[in-house]
Amino acid sequence: MKKIFLLLIVLLSINICFAQEEESEKENQTISASKAGISEVPNSKRPKPIDKEKAEKAGEKDESEKDYENKSNTIKYGIPSEISTLIDELIKNDDPRFTEEIYDVFQVTKNTTIKQKVLNYFNKLEDPCLEDYAVETLNDPYEEKTDLVKACFQYVAAVKTKEAIPAILSLIESENESYFNDAIAAIGEIGGPKEAMFLVEYLEREDLSDAQRQTLMRTCGKMHAVQTWEKVVEVAEDEDENLYVRMYAAEALGLMEKKESVPVLVELFAENDPNLRQYVIKGLSHFPDVVEAQETVIQGIRDEHWRVRQEAIKTAKQNNMKDAVQYLIYRAKNDSEKVIKDEAYSTLAALDAKDANEFLVNQLQEKKVGDSTKKKIVEVLLKEGHAGEKEILALAEECLNDDKRKDLRYAIGKELAKYENKNYSDICLKYLGSKDSTTQSLGLDMYKMNKFSSAETTMRAIYADKKANSGVKNRIKSMLKIEDETTDAK
């Protein structure tokens, strides 16, 4: 028995070794670039079953019982301009109720505008029923209108038609530059490692414009293809390369989330160009657990150029970097750029750290801090909901008693009206009790959000006041469903 048991263990160990070797071979396997060519056209198909929930929501927007029938008849019998206008409306309302009728119109129409609109419609629904048409068009688009071809690119990207890849790559390689950007965008959505390798290798062509090279590199980043890592590093480190291509390469290294990118990016942060440093920070933002990456981001908060500082502060917020609090407080107090101060306040509120919250609350209470700054602090504190509620309500009451600070009063009222909070009932009553109609209207906004029963007596008193603002009175009438005495008499 023991011999059999030992033999099983040996066999199991051998299998594990083989499996590990096989996995290692897969990781090290070179990915060859995808090839351009003629795409195989998918089989034709009818639209997918209608989404009942979306259909119900769309039906609620109909103005009359005959709306459905009228729209159906327009699709079946209308002229191109009528059908086009209706399809735009259906797209806007996310209305899937007419997929069958619209599909049938597409099959018979010769009008290119209708074809384009129908492609956009099924693009929005992510319905692959027109894949055959789109792929066939992309195989030979040269006689078609540019807008129609563009709609085909967008459609295959939306429904992830991988059969279209050879045709799209052929259009990238073609000398017709009008297809280049749309083709690259489509590959970015539906391509995989092989297509990413195609794009990186395509960068080596000498006849590409700088704009084309930038588009190629940015798309490579969006595809997160780690198989292209070495080539992207080469581009990022090449000082003779176009600056914007290097920038997008730095961002792409981050998007791949390969930890070997961190030392490369940290080295690039020493470059003189602030635009490159900004994109290095974008790349490093994808490594929240790597100390070296986060240390460089904090150095970015102290960078000489405001765009780098802004990117670093955004990253501190995104990665919940509480170690950055003191740097952010300094920037909020001292930065020469308002946009950086605002970004610092927003990030401090989001981090919910003790020092950050104390600083923000103290700024609200500090007499020397301007009202424009206090507006921003109120906005970010209420949005995050971590601290400062009591102080904000006190500041609002303070402004209610000082007409010189109406702007701050209005700003606080607008922010308070965005949120449901039972603690706002007293301040709502105080806004309603103001003689200023704008302040009263903000009180109504708070009531609308929270439906404070305690406010209704005050609202009825305002409605009964002959001197009250007519706009405010009309809002109260609507909110409380007040009927005039003459209506009651009838």
Side-chain angles (χ1 to χ4, degrees), residues 1-10:
M1 264 314 266
K2 286 183 179 179
K3 288 182 179 180
I4 294 172
F5 183 68
L6 289 170
L7 180 61
L8 287 171
I9 291 175
V10 171

Side-chain angles (χ1 to χ4, degrees), residues 232-424:
V232 175
V233 169
E234 286 178 19
V235 172
E237 292 180 334
D238 185 356
E239 294 183 6
D240 295 326
E241 179 61 84
N242 173 268
L243 171 64
Y244 287 92
V245 176
R246 294 184 74 199
M247 286 161 50
Y248 299 143
E251 184 180 19
L253 290 174
L255 286 165
M256 292 177 193
E257 297 184 359
K258 189 176 170 72
K259 288 189 177 180
E260 289 85 347
S261 297
V262 172
V264 177
L265 291 169
V266 169
E267 187 70 25
L268 287 173
F269 191 72
E271 296 264 350
N272 290 328
D273 193 281
N275 294 299
L276 181 57
R277 294 201 303 277
Q278 178 191 359
Y279 274 75
V280 166
I281 296 294
K282 281 180 182 284
L284 290 172
S285 70
H286 296 278
F287 302 96
D289 300 323
V290 180
V291 173
E292 192 178 7
Q294 299 310 292
E295 288 176 348
T296 305
V297 171
I298 286 178
Q299 291 308 308
I301 298 174
R302 308 171 64 187
D303 196 90
E304 194 68 38
H305 198 279
W306 71 271
R307 287 192 184 278
V308 184
R309 298 200 298 278
Q310 183 182 40
E311 197 63 50
I313 293 171
K314 286 180 179 178
T315 298
K317 181 179 183 179
Q318 174 187 323
N319 291 345
N320 196 31
M321 292 174 58
K322 288 183 169 55
D323 289 346
V325 166
Q326 293 304 321
Y327 296 90
L328 294 167
I329 289 174
Y330 187 88
R331 294 266 60 84
K333 284 181 177 179
N334 302 295
D335 207 280
S336 59
E337 301 287 343
K338 182 179 182 300
V339 65
I340 300 301
K341 286 187 172 186
D342 286 350
E343 202 71 62
Y345 285 126
S346 177
T347 301
L348 285 165
L351 290 176
D352 190 24
K354 182 182 176 184
D355 290 352
N357 291 337
E358 286 179 357
F359 166 73
L360 294 171
V361 169
N362 288 339
Q363 290 290 93
L364 286 180
Q365 298 171 322
E366 176 59 57
K367 299 295 183 184
K368 293 180 180 179
V369 174
D371 282 355
S372 61
T373 298
K374 289 180 178 179
K375 286 180 190 177
K376 183 64 183 179
I377 295 173
V378 167
E379 175 196 331
V380 297
L381 283 175
L382 288 177
K383 180 181 178 183
E384 301 299 338
H386 299 311
E389 180 184 291
K390 181 179 71 173
E391 291 78 12
I392 290 169
L393 294 176
L395 181 60
E397 190 167 347
E398 186 181 314
C399 294
L400 281 165
N401 300 320
D402 186 353
D403 281 348
K404 292 179 181 178
R405 303 180 78 185
K406 277 185 179 179
D407 283 350
L408 181 56
R409 180 202 306 171
Y410 296 160
I412 296 174
K414 286 178 184 176
E415 293 301 322
L416 292 172
K418 292 178 181 178
Y419 307 99
E420 286 187 40
N421 191 323
K422 63 182 181 180
N423 296 331
Y424 296 172

